[in-house]
Amino acid sequence: MKYLLKHLRQYKKQSILAPLFKMLEALFDLFVPLVVANIINVGIGNRDNSYILKQCGILVLLALIGITCSFTAQYFAAVASVGCATGLRHDLFSHIQKLGYSEIDTAGTSTLITRMTSDINQVQNGINMAMRLLLRSPFIVFGAMIMAFTINAKAALIFLIAIPVLSVIVYGIMGVTNPGYKGIQEKLDHVMNHVRENLTGVRVVRAFGKEKEEVANFEHANSQLNAMQLRIGHLSALMNPMTYVVVNLAIIAILKVGASSIDGGILLSGDVVALVNYMSQILVELVKMANTIILISKALASINRIAGVLDTEPAMEFQEQKVVWPKSEEAVRFEHVGLIYRGAGEESLTDITFCAKKGQTIGVIGGTGSGKSTLVNLIPRFYDATSGEISIFGMPIEKWGKEELRTRVGVVMQKAQLFQGTIRSNLLWGKQNATQEELWHALEVAQAAEVVRGKEKGLDEPVEQGGRNFSGGQKQRLTIARALVNNPDILILDDSASALDFATDASLRKALKTLPEELTVFIVSQRTSSLKHADQILVLEDGCLVGLGTHEQLLENCEVYREIHESQFKKGDEVQ
């Protein structure tokens, strides 16, 4: 709730005025049955048409004042609820950006998306309804009972019996159904996860002809959500018939008591009509109150889920102040480094030790799942090693500031990712104030200049969401250019040339050699041809470093490297 109250404080005026105007509307509603009673008792009883018209004018006036108060209350409630939801959404998105890879991996992308959309919408609806009806409905219920006592104390006793019975029914059903709403949101997470996986992996699904299986999996998750919603819906549906039974019995009792009182001259017929109207108002308001509390319960469940993300503290802590670069010829040093992913039982990397000097090209190779990407992800500190020590330019990686470290280390991810906008806007991610010359130089080195020149608008060519209007090789070259724009001191190419042909790959490696001598390059690749000219090659198997040396040394001394090489080239063939 602290996160909700933080934003509600910014809308104090609206938070007070919205329920205040709703209470005013309720007050005028309570006068309506009395005016109707006067019309029946006096106007119709005395056949006084002028009196009837005057009272009808009062009813119209009450309606106009009531609707004005209602619109005003709705406006203030909307401003407060939408503003509060907007602030929550900003806070949540900002906090997610601060989380490390470990926290995001643990929470899950689909769950975070649900928090940002469905849960915040539930909170917005809950705030809106709470401001409009949370005070209005009790005010009407107790106000109607008080007004009933002003008409006739004996008949008003029926209200004293009916209201507690109605409250037990309403809140009893709510007590049973409210815990289910949290379960519904969790089931919605599962459905979102299935949708997201299928949308991102649609080509894989179709390539393997798994459409029917995926449809079946989605239907299973959706049917579970549907079953839970129906179960809660069936329980909630009991509220209306049960409350209507109680209210109608109360109305029958009022009519019975009223009939005998009219015969005895204690009550007039208009008074009985007023009592029936007050009972009907109570019924309507209790149902509204129940629906409001259901929405508030959903909102509370959602705010707790949002708070769960906001309460997740990033495991990594970065230095705030800028560091003084030590003079070291070492670019990267790993000393007995190990890593266990959060929630995993075994190490993904075990006892990794090597040193990369400035200006060297380091190759990383190994089978699928050997830990290549995991190793290079430790260099920009996407994850923290669970054992050992990592040094960047002679200083422990924990002492580097986040911005400074990520500026000095350029990363090209294994999966090429472009953002909606233009080629220029994507390249400027590397350096916001990069000049035209710097952009073209990066494109030339990345072998992407011809791609851009071939586009009608050049650097201002539109990029669709995810870069879907570019081929895999084009996306890889553009992401390499994006990393080069900032002139990093360490460049990591995480299998980022896998979609390039051998000629383009060779041209890229040749162009990288023309960059400043102090640039240290890590190349993760499945091709031994891409790593042949590296100064050092790290060979990984099951998270362990099983080979370290040059191409020729590893062919002679490392069986794993030799097997990878011979699987790609016939024995004795020369790698170009």
Side-chain angles (χ1 to χ4, degrees), residues 186-209:
E186 290 172 354
K187 295 292 182 186
L188 183 61
D189 283 347
H190 293 308
V191 173
M192 286 284 291
N193 187 45
H194 280 286
V195 173
R196 179 181 173 277
E197 282 187 343
N198 276 271
L199 288 176
T200 54
V202 63
R203 298 189 182 199
V204 178
V205 173
R206 291 178 180 176
F208 286 90

PDB file of all heavy atoms in Angstrom, residues 186-209:
ATOM      1  N   GLU A 186      -2.786 -15.187 -11.283  1.00  0.00           N
ATOM      2  CA  GLU A 186      -1.665 -16.103 -11.503  1.00  0.00           C
ATOM      3  C   GLU A 186      -1.911 -16.977 -12.728  1.00  0.00           C
ATOM      4  O   GLU A 186      -0.988 -17.248 -13.518  1.00  0.00           O
ATOM      5  CB  GLU A 186      -1.455 -16.971 -10.263  1.00  0.00           C
ATOM      6  CG  GLU A 186      -0.912 -16.176  -9.069  1.00  0.00           C
ATOM      7  CD  GLU A 186      -0.881 -16.986  -7.789  1.00  0.00           C
ATOM      8  OE1 GLU A 186      -1.388 -18.141  -7.808  1.00  0.00           O
ATOM      9  OE2 GLU A 186      -0.355 -16.487  -6.779  1.00  0.00           O
ATOM     10  N   LYS A 187      -3.145 -17.430 -12.899  1.00  0.00           N
ATOM     11  CA  LYS A 187      -3.486 -18.207 -14.102  1.00  0.00           C
ATOM     12  C   LYS A 187      -3.334 -17.346 -15.355  1.00  0.00           C
ATOM     13  O   LYS A 187      -2.915 -17.840 -16.411  1.00  0.00           O
ATOM     14  CB  LYS A 187      -4.916 -18.737 -14.014  1.00  0.00           C
ATOM     15  CG  LYS A 187      -5.160 -19.749 -12.891  1.00  0.00           C
ATOM     16  CD  LYS A 187      -4.432 -21.038 -13.140  1.00  0.00           C
ATOM     17  CE  LYS A 187      -4.739 -22.055 -12.030  1.00  0.00           C
ATOM     18  NZ  LYS A 187      -3.913 -23.285 -12.184  1.00  0.00           N
ATOM     19  N   LEU A 188      -3.668 -16.066 -15.229  1.00  0.00           N
ATOM     20  CA  LEU A 188      -3.502 -15.149 -16.352  1.00  0.00           C
ATOM     21  C   LEU A 188      -2.028 -15.025 -16.731  1.00  0.00           C
ATOM     22  O   LEU A 188      -1.686 -14.912 -17.916  1.00  0.00           O
ATOM     23  CB  LEU A 188      -4.076 -13.770 -15.988  1.00  0.00           C
ATOM     24  CG  LEU A 188      -4.041 -12.703 -17.080  1.00  0.00           C
ATOM     25  CD1 LEU A 188      -4.859 -13.146 -18.292  1.00  0.00           C
ATOM     26  CD2 LEU A 188      -4.575 -11.384 -16.547  1.00  0.00           C
ATOM     27  N   ASP A 189      -1.136 -15.071 -15.723  1.00  0.00           N
ATOM     28  CA  ASP A 189       0.304 -15.066 -15.999  1.00  0.00           C
ATOM     29  C   ASP A 189       0.693 -16.236 -16.896  1.00  0.00           C
ATOM     30  O   ASP A 189       1.479 -16.092 -17.831  1.00  0.00           O
ATOM     31  CB  ASP A 189       1.100 -15.148 -14.694  1.00  0.00           C
ATOM     32  CG  ASP A 189       1.149 -13.821 -13.960  1.00  0.00           C
ATOM     33  OD1 ASP A 189       0.789 -12.799 -14.568  1.00  0.00           O
ATOM     34  OD2 ASP A 189       1.544 -13.813 -12.787  1.00  0.00           O
ATOM     35  N   HIS A 190       0.146 -17.431 -16.577  1.00  0.00           N
ATOM     36  CA  HIS A 190       0.479 -18.625 -17.364  1.00  0.00           C
ATOM     37  C   HIS A 190      -0.011 -18.477 -18.806  1.00  0.00           C
ATOM     38  O   HIS A 190       0.694 -18.857 -19.749  1.00  0.00           O
ATOM     39  CB  HIS A 190      -0.144 -19.865 -16.719  1.00  0.00           C
ATOM     40  CG  HIS A 190       0.441 -20.211 -15.383  1.00  0.00           C
ATOM     41  ND1 HIS A 190       1.801 -20.353 -15.178  1.00  0.00           N
ATOM     42  CD2 HIS A 190      -0.127 -20.443 -14.178  1.00  0.00           C
ATOM     43  CE1 HIS A 190       2.031 -20.662 -13.908  1.00  0.00           C
ATOM     44  NE2 HIS A 190       0.879 -20.714 -13.281  1.00  0.00           N
ATOM     45  N   VAL A 191      -1.214 -17.942 -18.969  1.00  0.00           N
ATOM     46  CA  VAL A 191      -1.749 -17.748 -20.318  1.00  0.00           C
ATOM     47  C   VAL A 191      -0.877 -16.759 -21.088  1.00  0.00           C
ATOM     48  O   VAL A 191      -0.538 -16.979 -22.264  1.00  0.00           O
ATOM     49  CB  VAL A 191      -3.216 -17.253 -20.261  1.00  0.00           C
ATOM     50  CG1 VAL A 191      -3.715 -16.880 -21.652  1.00  0.00           C
ATOM     51  CG2 VAL A 191      -4.108 -18.328 -19.663  1.00  0.00           C
ATOM     52  N   MET A 192      -0.499 -15.653 -20.418  1.00  0.00           N
ATOM     53  CA  MET A 192       0.374 -14.665 -21.050  1.00  0.00           C
ATOM     54  C   MET A 192       1.705 -15.277 -21.459  1.00  0.00           C
ATOM     55  O   MET A 192       2.255 -14.963 -22.512  1.00  0.00           O
ATOM     56  CB  MET A 192       0.613 -13.501 -20.084  1.00  0.00           C
ATOM     57  CG  MET A 192      -0.560 -12.564 -19.926  1.00  0.00           C
ATOM     58  SD  MET A 192      -0.748 -11.453 -21.332  1.00  0.00           S
ATOM     59  CE  MET A 192       0.695 -10.420 -21.115  1.00  0.00           C
ATOM     60  N   ASN A 193       2.226 -16.161 -20.624  1.00  0.00           N
ATOM     61  CA  ASN A 193       3.502 -16.807 -20.926  1.00  0.00           C
ATOM     62  C   ASN A 193       3.391 -17.655 -22.191  1.00  0.00           C
ATOM     63  O   ASN A 193       4.273 -17.638 -23.052  1.00  0.00           O
ATOM     64  CB  ASN A 193       3.938 -17.670 -19.738  1.00  0.00           C
ATOM     65  CG  ASN A 193       5.334 -18.242 -19.928  1.00  0.00           C
ATOM     66  OD1 ASN A 193       6.246 -17.539 -20.343  1.00  0.00           O
ATOM     67  ND2 ASN A 193       5.502 -19.516 -19.646  1.00  0.00           N
ATOM     68  N   HIS A 194       2.287 -18.411 -22.313  1.00  0.00           N
ATOM     69  CA  HIS A 194       2.072 -19.231 -23.518  1.00  0.00           C
ATOM     70  C   HIS A 194       1.956 -18.355 -24.764  1.00  0.00           C
ATOM     71  O   HIS A 194       2.536 -18.662 -25.810  1.00  0.00           O
ATOM     72  CB  HIS A 194       0.806 -20.082 -23.363  1.00  0.00           C
ATOM     73  CG  HIS A 194       1.001 -21.313 -22.544  1.00  0.00           C
ATOM     74  ND1 HIS A 194       1.672 -22.415 -23.007  1.00  0.00           N
ATOM     75  CD2 HIS A 194       0.626 -21.616 -21.285  1.00  0.00           C
ATOM     76  CE1 HIS A 194       1.696 -23.350 -22.068  1.00  0.00           C
ATOM     77  NE2 HIS A 194       1.072 -22.886 -21.004  1.00  0.00           N
ATOM     78  N   VAL A 195       1.216 -17.263 -24.648  1.00  0.00           N
ATOM     79  CA  VAL A 195       1.032 -16.361 -25.789  1.00  0.00           C
ATOM     80  C   VAL A 195       2.369 -15.772 -26.208  1.00  0.00           C
ATOM     81  O   VAL A 195       2.721 -15.747 -27.399  1.00  0.00           O
ATOM     82  CB  VAL A 195       0.034 -15.235 -25.443  1.00  0.00           C
ATOM     83  CG1 VAL A 195      -0.015 -14.202 -26.559  1.00  0.00           C
ATOM     84  CG2 VAL A 195      -1.352 -15.816 -25.211  1.00  0.00           C
ATOM     85  N   ARG A 196       3.136 -15.287 -25.217  1.00  0.00           N
ATOM     86  CA  ARG A 196       4.420 -14.663 -25.528  1.00  0.00           C
ATOM     87  C   ARG A 196       5.372 -15.658 -26.178  1.00  0.00           C
ATOM     88  O   ARG A 196       6.038 -15.349 -27.175  1.00  0.00           O
ATOM     89  CB  ARG A 196       5.044 -14.105 -24.243  1.00  0.00           C
ATOM     90  CG  ARG A 196       6.399 -13.463 -24.466  1.00  0.00           C
ATOM     91  CD  ARG A 196       6.994 -12.937 -23.168  1.00  0.00           C
ATOM     92  NE  ARG A 196       8.351 -12.480 -23.382  1.00  0.00           N
ATOM     93  CZ  ARG A 196       9.412 -13.276 -23.389  1.00  0.00           C
ATOM     94  NH1 ARG A 196       9.262 -14.573 -23.168  1.00  0.00           N
ATOM     95  NH2 ARG A 196      10.618 -12.803 -23.604  1.00  0.00           N
ATOM     96  N   GLU A 197       5.469 -16.861 -25.626  1.00  0.00           N
ATOM     97  CA  GLU A 197       6.375 -17.863 -26.188  1.00  0.00           C
ATOM     98  C   GLU A 197       6.007 -18.202 -27.628  1.00  0.00           C
ATOM     99  O   GLU A 197       6.876 -18.369 -28.483  1.00  0.00           O
ATOM    100  CB  GLU A 197       6.354 -19.131 -25.335  1.00  0.00           C
ATOM    101  CG  GLU A 197       7.162 -19.030 -24.055  1.00  0.00           C
ATOM    102  CD  GLU A 197       7.251 -20.350 -23.319  1.00  0.00           C
ATOM    103  OE1 GLU A 197       6.428 -21.250 -23.631  1.00  0.00           O
ATOM    104  OE2 GLU A 197       8.128 -20.498 -22.465  1.00  0.00           O
ATOM    105  N   ASN A 198       4.711 -18.304 -27.887  1.00  0.00           N
ATOM    106  CA  ASN A 198       4.282 -18.674 -29.238  1.00  0.00           C
ATOM    107  C   ASN A 198       4.466 -17.534 -30.228  1.00  0.00           C
ATOM    108  O   ASN A 198       4.765 -17.781 -31.406  1.00  0.00           O
ATOM    109  CB  ASN A 198       2.826 -19.133 -29.221  1.00  0.00           C
ATOM    110  CG  ASN A 198       2.700 -20.594 -28.841  1.00  0.00           C
ATOM    111  OD1 ASN A 198       2.744 -21.463 -29.689  1.00  0.00           O
ATOM    112  ND2 ASN A 198       2.590 -20.865 -27.554  1.00  0.00           N
ATOM    113  N   LEU A 199       4.297 -16.294 -29.778  1.00  0.00           N
ATOM    114  CA  LEU A 199       4.498 -15.166 -30.683  1.00  0.00           C
ATOM    115  C   LEU A 199       5.975 -14.975 -31.017  1.00  0.00           C
ATOM    116  O   LEU A 199       6.331 -14.688 -32.163  1.00  0.00           O
ATOM    117  CB  LEU A 199       3.924 -13.885 -30.073  1.00  0.00           C
ATOM    118  CG  LEU A 199       2.392 -13.805 -30.026  1.00  0.00           C
ATOM    119  CD1 LEU A 199       1.952 -12.536 -29.317  1.00  0.00           C
ATOM    120  CD2 LEU A 199       1.793 -13.851 -31.421  1.00  0.00           C
ATOM    121  N   THR A 200       6.843 -15.125 -30.004  1.00  0.00           N
ATOM    122  CA  THR A 200       8.272 -14.952 -30.261  1.00  0.00           C
ATOM    123  C   THR A 200       8.863 -16.156 -31.001  1.00  0.00           C
ATOM    124  O   THR A 200       9.817 -16.008 -31.756  1.00  0.00           O
ATOM    125  CB  THR A 200       9.042 -14.752 -28.938  1.00  0.00           C
ATOM    126  OG1 THR A 200       8.750 -15.834 -28.041  1.00  0.00           O
ATOM    127  CG2 THR A 200       8.649 -13.439 -28.288  1.00  0.00           C
ATOM    128  N   GLY A 201       8.274 -17.342 -30.789  1.00  0.00           N
ATOM    129  CA  GLY A 201       8.813 -18.546 -31.429  1.00  0.00           C
ATOM    130  C   GLY A 201       7.921 -19.113 -32.506  1.00  0.00           C
ATOM    131  O   GLY A 201       7.939 -20.324 -32.767  1.00  0.00           O
ATOM    132  N   VAL A 202       7.134 -18.242 -33.165  1.00  0.00           N
ATOM    133  CA  VAL A 202       6.161 -18.726 -34.143  1.00  0.00           C
ATOM    134  C   VAL A 202       6.828 -19.465 -35.302  1.00  0.00           C
ATOM    135  O   VAL A 202       6.319 -20.468 -35.795  1.00  0.00           O
ATOM    136  CB  VAL A 202       5.287 -17.549 -34.646  1.00  0.00           C
ATOM    137  CG1 VAL A 202       6.131 -16.510 -35.361  1.00  0.00           C
ATOM    138  CG2 VAL A 202       4.177 -18.048 -35.557  1.00  0.00           C
ATOM    139  N   ARG A 203       8.011 -19.014 -35.699  1.00  0.00           N
ATOM    140  CA  ARG A 203       8.689 -19.669 -36.817  1.00  0.00           C
ATOM    141  C   ARG A 203       9.168 -21.068 -36.432  1.00  0.00           C
ATOM    142  O   ARG A 203       9.112 -21.996 -37.240  1.00  0.00           O
ATOM    143  CB  ARG A 203       9.864 -18.817 -37.290  1.00  0.00           C
ATOM    144  CG  ARG A 203       9.428 -17.444 -37.803  1.00  0.00           C
ATOM    145  CD  ARG A 203      10.554 -16.699 -38.462  1.00  0.00           C
ATOM    146  NE  ARG A 203      10.094 -15.374 -38.892  1.00  0.00           N
ATOM    147  CZ  ARG A 203      10.705 -14.641 -39.801  1.00  0.00           C
ATOM    148  NH1 ARG A 203      11.796 -15.098 -40.386  1.00  0.00           N
ATOM    149  NH2 ARG A 203      10.241 -13.456 -40.137  1.00  0.00           N
ATOM    150  N   VAL A 204       9.643 -21.190 -35.194  1.00  0.00           N
ATOM    151  CA  VAL A 204      10.096 -22.508 -34.722  1.00  0.00           C
ATOM    152  C   VAL A 204       8.911 -23.468 -34.627  1.00  0.00           C
ATOM    153  O   VAL A 204       8.999 -24.636 -35.027  1.00  0.00           O
ATOM    154  CB  VAL A 204      10.790 -22.379 -33.346  1.00  0.00           C
ATOM    155  CG1 VAL A 204      11.222 -23.737 -32.825  1.00  0.00           C
ATOM    156  CG2 VAL A 204      11.986 -21.445 -33.449  1.00  0.00           C
ATOM    157  N   VAL A 205       7.797 -22.960 -34.112  1.00  0.00           N
ATOM    158  CA  VAL A 205       6.597 -23.797 -33.985  1.00  0.00           C
ATOM    159  C   VAL A 205       6.168 -24.323 -35.350  1.00  0.00           C
ATOM    160  O   VAL A 205       5.889 -25.512 -35.519  1.00  0.00           O
ATOM    161  CB  VAL A 205       5.442 -22.989 -33.339  1.00  0.00           C
ATOM    162  CG1 VAL A 205       4.144 -23.789 -33.373  1.00  0.00           C
ATOM    163  CG2 VAL A 205       5.788 -22.625 -31.897  1.00  0.00           C
ATOM    164  N   ARG A 206       6.154 -23.433 -36.337  1.00  0.00           N
ATOM    165  CA  ARG A 206       5.719 -23.840 -37.671  1.00  0.00           C
ATOM    166  C   ARG A 206       6.756 -24.729 -38.355  1.00  0.00           C
ATOM    167  O   ARG A 206       6.408 -25.634 -39.107  1.00  0.00           O
ATOM    168  CB  ARG A 206       5.426 -22.601 -38.515  1.00  0.00           C
ATOM    169  CG  ARG A 206       4.185 -21.858 -38.029  1.00  0.00           C
ATOM    170  CD  ARG A 206       3.908 -20.612 -38.834  1.00  0.00           C
ATOM    171  NE  ARG A 206       2.711 -19.927 -38.338  1.00  0.00           N
ATOM    172  CZ  ARG A 206       2.276 -18.763 -38.797  1.00  0.00           C
ATOM    173  NH1 ARG A 206       2.932 -18.147 -39.767  1.00  0.00           N
ATOM    174  NH2 ARG A 206       1.186 -18.210 -38.298  1.00  0.00           N
ATOM    175  N   ALA A 207       8.029 -24.454 -38.096  1.00  0.00           N
ATOM    176  CA  ALA A 207       9.083 -25.254 -38.724  1.00  0.00           C
ATOM    177  C   ALA A 207       9.013 -26.712 -38.290  1.00  0.00           C
ATOM    178  O   ALA A 207       9.305 -27.622 -39.075  1.00  0.00           O
ATOM    179  CB  ALA A 207      10.453 -24.665 -38.378  1.00  0.00           C
ATOM    180  N   PHE A 208       8.600 -26.942 -37.044  1.00  0.00           N
ATOM    181  CA  PHE A 208       8.507 -28.310 -36.536  1.00  0.00           C
ATOM    182  C   PHE A 208       7.088 -28.857 -36.573  1.00  0.00           C
ATOM    183  O   PHE A 208       6.819 -29.953 -36.073  1.00  0.00           O
ATOM    184  CB  PHE A 208       9.055 -28.374 -35.095  1.00  0.00           C
ATOM    185  CG  PHE A 208      10.547 -28.293 -35.021  1.00  0.00           C
ATOM    186  CD1 PHE A 208      11.183 -27.071 -34.914  1.00  0.00           C
ATOM    187  CD2 PHE A 208      11.328 -29.442 -35.070  1.00  0.00           C
ATOM    188  CE1 PHE A 208      12.558 -26.975 -34.853  1.00  0.00           C
ATOM    189  CE2 PHE A 208      12.706 -29.369 -34.999  1.00  0.00           C
ATOM    190  CZ  PHE A 208      13.326 -28.136 -34.900  1.00  0.00           C
ATOM    191  N   GLY A 209       6.170 -28.077 -37.162  1.00  0.00           N
ATOM    192  CA  GLY A 209       4.795 -28.547 -37.282  1.00  0.00           C
ATOM    193  C   GLY A 209       4.127 -28.812 -35.951  1.00  0.00           C
ATOM    194  O   GLY A 209       3.370 -29.779 -35.795  1.00  0.00           O
TER     195      GLY A 209
END
